Structure formats: C-alpha cells, structure tokens
Amino acid sequence: MTAYRARLTESDIRRLIKSDAEDERAAAAHKLCRSIDRMALDDADRAAAQKILSVLANDAAELVRRALAVTLKASDLMPREVARRLVADVDSVALPIITCSPAFTDDDLIEIVRAGSAVRQNAVASRDRVPRDVATVLAAEGCRSAVRALAANDNADLSEDALGLVIDRFGQASEIISAIAYRQVLPLSVTERLVALASDAVREHLVTRHAVAPETAIQFAQFTRERVTIDLVDQARVSNDLPAFVAGLNARKVLNASLLLRALARGQMALFEHALAELTGTPHHRAWLMVHDAGPLGLKAIYDRAGLPPRLFQAFRAGVDTWRALQAEGGDVASEAFRQRMLERFLSQRPNASRDDLSYLMERLDRPMASVQDEETAVSAA
C-alpha cells in the first residue's frame, strides 16, 4: 500500500483517522478514494483498498460516507457488500451508488425497486444500462416518475410485454406515452396500441419513424380534426422504399383510385407511376413510358389495364398534364411549393372527382404554407 502514501500526505492520513471535524475527514476520504481509483492495483493492494472502503462506509459522519459514494459511484473497485451497505444509507449517500455503480446484480436492483422509494426507483430507471428483468419489474411496479424515466431511457431493455404493461398502467399519462413513442426501437404491436393514446405530434413521429401499417396510418388520420395531417399520401412521400410501400398498400386493398388521384394532385408522380406498375404487374420503367412517353393513348392503356374507374380518367389525364406543364416551367418537383402550385392548377380545371376527394384536396390547399413547411421539416428531422 505504499503507492497510496506517495499520493497522500501524513496530514491527510491523520485527518482521516483522528480528526473530529467531519468536513476534514470527508476531504481526506475524497482524496484517498480518488487516489485509489486512479492507481493500477495488484490483487493484494486491491483487497487492502477494499478494506479501507469498508471502513469508510461505516464512518459515523454522513459527509464522509457521501464522499466515498460520490467519488467511487461508477468504480468497479467498490465491493458489492459495501455498495449494498451504502444503499441502506440516507438518500444523499445511496442515490449516486444506485444510479451508477456496476457492483449490483439484477436481484440487488430489483430489491431496490421493490423497496418502494420513488427517488430510488428513478435512480434505477436512469442507469446507463437497465437489464430486462429489472426493467420488467419497474414497468409492473414502479411509480409514475420512475416509469417515465424508464420509458425515456433507450438503454433500458424493455421487452414487448413490459412496454404493454406500461401502457396498461399509464395509458392516460401523456408524458409516458410520448416517452415510449420516442424510443429508438418499438415493436409494431406497441406502436399500434399508441394510436388512440398519443398526441397529434407524437402520431406524426410514429408514422414517419416506426413501421406502421398503412391502415393504421388511416386510423391515425381519423383522430385529427384535419384528416390530412397524417395520411397515406404524406406517408408515401417519406417512404424509403416506395415499391415496397406500394406493394403493401395493394396487399391491404387500399391502393385505389381515390388515393392515386389525391397523390397525383399533390404532385406525387412517382407514387402514381409505381401504383400503375403494381396494379398492372408491369415493370416500373415500362409504366413510366406508358405515362410519359407513349403518346396520348399510353396513359389510357395502362390506366384501363390497372382496372381504375373509366369515369375518373379525365381527372387523371388533367393531373398528368398539369404535372408535365409545371415540370417544364422548372422548379424542384419534390418541394412543397411545387406541390402547392400543382394542386392549385389541378383544382382550377374542375376535375370530375368525388366530393370527398375534392374536400380532401381543398383542405390541403387551404392550409397556410408556413404550417405545411413546418410539418415537412418535422417529418424530415424525424
């Protein structure tokens, strides 16, 4: 143990052992613990150091015990029995150890949770790593603030069942539902349980960030006063794999004329092209040629082959012609400004569309540009 004496003065040792002043002993304890933690120790020195820590953990002064807990809160030098002794201490001593110490087993942490102290449950829930068994007990038995901290901790190993328990217990707690929604990874079953619980902004995040079935996105839209805040047209725009997205729509029987007309009127030509390719079993490049480069009859031929309603063909024809005219004028076809101009011109032609589709498109047109751009920024950031 001569290594310690090289770093500690004789005065430090004397203060630690004999001083009646708590602050002096605490300062000496801090200096000793810091020196121990920074040293490279062999087995014999490590055992001797741990005996010193045990003595400090039994010091009558709370200030000394706190100096030990704070200085070595994340150290692997702390013996498990000393860590457990500190957990039984007052909160000022126990909380740093509960939050950070690697000395605990899963059973130790579960015991802390079940003891029922809210601040200590919060400390467990906020650890750098919360093992699955511990997270499950917290989900089932933790207080509201601890469960919120757990849900917000992406390093907590929360199983699908544990997340379900949290929703069962705190489905009306908006801060907990939001914390779950913003986790990096969510099981699909959990995502879909949040449909009726989340705020509009959180629903938007769920649709754009997590795997959500298209029919679920439709359900999301029904919860908002403005149906189009979250819908399949906007979901398609942020899809990373448009062919797969379109195939999913077709499998769920929602790839219909109404959806395609809304998408085309919003300037989403790629969605329209891929949809025609999907409905006709045609490669995308051939569908593109039929829409854009096969004369006046090309669009009609692939439209009819797709089984779309004949009465709506002229509306689709107007949409394609409008898109081409705007593209020829220049501008970014992916921008919100282009989509708004497309919609304005499309509606000015009085397309023969259903009342519901026209109402949908008029709602889009009536939205202030600033709010649309804000939404688009939020979607991209997510």
Side-chain angles (χ1 to χ4, degrees), residues 103-280:
F104 299 117
T105 65
D106 289 4
D107 287 341
D108 293 332
L109 295 173
I110 289 172
E111 182 181 332
I112 294 169
V113 171
R114 286 182 168 159
S117 164
V119 291
R120 296 182 181 215
Q121 288 181 352
N122 276 307
V124 174
S126 302
R127 285 172 64 88
D128 285 345
R129 189 182 73 84
V130 183
R132 175 162 293 204
D133 288 347
V134 180
T136 299
V137 173
L138 271 167
E141 303 177 27
C143 67
R144 179 168 173 158
S145 61
V147 172
R148 184 192 181 285
L150 180 73
N153 184 354
D154 270 313
N155 293 320
D157 186 2
L158 276 163
S159 67
E160 185 171 348
D161 288 343
L163 287 166
L165 277 173
V166 172
I167 296 173
D168 289 341
R169 294 183 64 208
F170 297 106
Q172 302 308 312
S174 60
E175 75 278 10
I176 293 178
I177 295 303
S178 295
I180 295 173
Y182 281 88
R183 290 181 65 81
Q184 293 295 315
V185 177
L186 281 179
L188 180 59
S189 64
V190 172
T191 304
E192 296 190 345
R193 283 196 66 185
L194 300 177
V195 170
L197 302 174
S199 66
D200 292 348
V202 174
R203 291 188 195 110
E204 178 83 11
H205 174 81
L206 287 167
V207 169
T208 57
R209 180 64 182 267
H210 296 286
V212 178
E215 63 267 29
T216 303
I218 294 175
Q219 294 173 15
F220 281 1
Q222 293 171 348
F223 282 100
T224 60
R225 182 176 180 181
E226 183 180 14
R227 293 179 295 132
V228 296
T229 298
I230 302 165
D231 61 17
L232 293 177
V233 174
D234 284 340
Q235 192 181 4
R237 180 165 53 84
V238 297
S239 173
N240 293 323
D241 188 347
L242 191 54
F245 179 83
V246 168
L249 296 180
N250 196 29
R252 296 174 177 88
K253 309 298 183 185
V254 293
L255 193 61
N256 53 36
S258 177
L259 176 67
L260 297 188
L261 185 62
R262 295 177 181 195
L264 182 59
R266 288 284 292 139
Q268 291 203 41
M269 181 60 73
L271 174 59
F272 179 59
E273 296 162 1
H274 281 285
L276 291 180
E278 173 70 22
L279 291 171
T280 60

Side-chain angles (χ1 to χ4, degrees), residues 3-15:
Y4 299 119
R5 297 189 182 279
R7 294 173 178 268
L8 295 170
T9 67
E10 184 176 345
S11 175
D12 292 328
I13 302 297
R14 188 183 307 112
R15 289 205 314 271

Side-chain angles (χ1 to χ4, degrees), residues 57-106:
N58 286 320
D59 195 284
E62 177 186 331
L63 202 57
V64 173
R65 302 193 305 275
R66 176 167 170 75
L68 166 64
V70 171
T71 307
L72 295 182
K73 62 184 180 182
S75 174
D76 61 2
L77 185 64
M78 178 78 70
R80 176 171 174 253
E81 61 271 20
V82 173
R84 284 178 58 84
R85 190 182 309 158
L86 294 174
V87 165
D89 211 320
V90 296
D91 285 348
S92 65
V93 175
L95 291 178
I97 295 294
I98 295 172
T99 304
C100 301
S101 179
F104 299 117
T105 65
D106 289 4

Side-chain angles (χ1 to χ4, degrees), residues 358-369:
L358 290 175
S359 175
Y360 169 96
L361 295 172
M362 288 301 295
E363 286 177 6
R364 290 304 267 180
L365 186 62
D366 288 344
R367 296 181 69 190
M369 178 68 76

